Amino acid sequence: MATTTHTAAHTSPASLVSVTLEVADVEAARRFYGAFGVEEYVSLRASDAHSTGFRGFTLGLTVSGPATVGGFVAAAVDAGATVLKPAAKSLWGYGGVVQAPDGTIWKIATSARKDTGPATREIDEIVLLIGVEDVKATRQFYVGRGLTVAKSFGGKYTEFAAGSSGPVKLALYKRRALAKDLGVPADGTGSHRIVLGGTPDAFTDPDGFAWEAPEPPAPAQS
């Protein structure tokens, strides 16, 4: 994939404001994401771009407790998702991983190990975590594009500040470490099948993730 090397800083802050998943069947994907309960966080568009293996990213939901994790996992499975990692306790809390029929991997997790209330359908946070070869280099690339670092742990993990209009945070993680965490082989070829929006111009990052400029608002009707 082509990589844009221009890194001049922009005068206005940039952030991730939209996530578009490219799917083979838009109507089927719309039904799945409606049943799963995340339809407001992603857009969909048709694509038959070649893609095999790990696409290099996951979308993560942070929720209030284990019962809510279980509810989202069950909703995804009932709608046609495949379980990659059953929901279980871990060092960091409780979580599970599912793969949507279109191939997108979702991780649902909570830092709580015990429920303090009933299950809900509320999402506290959603993060797009992309797997990269060099976290430091890709972090610098995005800083050059105008994004602001919110958290950084050397060459292991970076999280960027969320914009006021974007419901999804962007974070970077080592690709192989991300694949291991999700329970899938790290190898993959072809399109990532995801397009990001929020910067003034279109570009492709060092790991092949494509960004598009947001569409201008429709003119007001007179």
Side-chain angles (χ1 to χ4, degrees), residues 139-192:
R139 176 175 65 236
Q140 189 58 41
F141 175 87
Y142 277 117
V143 169
R145 302 300 308 189
L147 276 70
T148 301
V149 174
K151 298 178 183 178
S152 181
F153 299 95
K156 295 182 178 180
Y157 176 85
T158 293
E159 184 177 297
F160 296 99
S164 59
S165 61
V168 182
K169 288 184 178 180
L170 175 67
L172 310 176
Y173 198 36
K174 293 282 287 185
R175 179 186 171 95
R176 291 196 174 277
L178 178 58
K180 182 178 179 179
D181 181 59
L182 299 174
V184 298
D187 295 335
T189 61
S191 173
H192 292 296

Side-chain angles (χ1 to χ4, degrees), residues 80-185:
T82 301
V83 175
L84 298 180
K85 276 192 173 181
K89 289 183 180 179
S90 70
L91 290 174
W92 312 107
Y94 186 90
V97 180
V98 299
Q99 187 168 31
D102 65 84
T104 302
I105 297 175
W106 293 79
K107 182 175 183 179
I108 307 99
T110 176
S111 59
R113 295 192 177 188
K114 294 182 179 180
D115 288 306
T116 57
T120 73
R121 295 292 289 167
E122 295 181 3
I123 297 170
D124 296 334
E125 183 178 72
I126 182 165
V127 177
L128 169 62
L129 188 55
I130 61 176
V132 303
E133 292 301 322
D134 187 330
V135 172
K136 289 183 178 179
T138 302
R139 176 175 65 236
Q140 189 58 41
F141 175 87
Y142 277 117
V143 169
R145 302 300 308 189
L147 276 70
T148 301
V149 174
K151 298 178 183 178
S152 181
F153 299 95
K156 295 182 178 180
Y157 176 85
T158 293
E159 184 177 297
F160 296 99
S164 59
S165 61
V168 182
K169 288 184 178 180
L170 175 67
L172 310 176
Y173 198 36
K174 293 282 287 185
R175 179 186 171 95
R176 291 196 174 277
L178 178 58
K180 182 178 179 179
D181 181 59
L182 299 174
V184 298

